[in-house]
Amino acid sequence: MTKQAIIKHTVSVINQLPPEKAVEISDFADSLIHRYEELQLSKDLTSLASGESFDFLNDEEDLYTENDIKEPYAKR
């Protein structure tokens, strides 16, 4: 079944329901789209973080060396 056919069928079914049941379907659809958007965002962030976005940090030169230490840290 194509997406358009599914939409047509769903609208037909919704039109047969009382208003309070149509509201339930609307709320459910809102819930589905919200979960889908959150999943997409999570996938996009994971992709961004695991990609080459932060590779420039690996090429950064060291600002300090051991010679810059004035007082060494001693464990107690």
Side-chain angles (χ1 to χ4, degrees), residues 40-51:
Q40 286 301 112
L41 179 61
S42 177
K43 286 181 180 179
D44 290 345
L45 288 174
T46 301
S47 174
L48 181 65
S50 65

Side-chain angles (χ1 to χ4, degrees), residues 9 19 25 28 72 76:
H9 172 74
I25 293 174
F28 178 69
R76 294 180 183 187

Side-chain angles (χ1 to χ4, degrees), residues 10-59:
T10 304
V11 169
S12 172
V13 170
I14 291 171
N15 284 329
Q16 296 174 36
L17 294 172
E20 61 274 2
K21 294 299 178 183
V23 169
E24 287 182 37
I25 293 174
S26 176
D27 291 344
F28 178 69
D30 287 340
S31 173
L32 282 177
I33 194 67
H34 181 73
R35 282 190 291 171
Y36 176 75
E37 288 172 346
E38 284 186 349
L39 180 62
Q40 286 301 112
L41 179 61
S42 177
K43 286 181 180 179
D44 290 345
L45 288 174
T46 301
S47 174
L48 181 65
S50 65
E52 299 175 0
S53 299
F54 297 103
D55 283 353
F56 70 93
L57 294 173
N58 296 330
D59 300 332

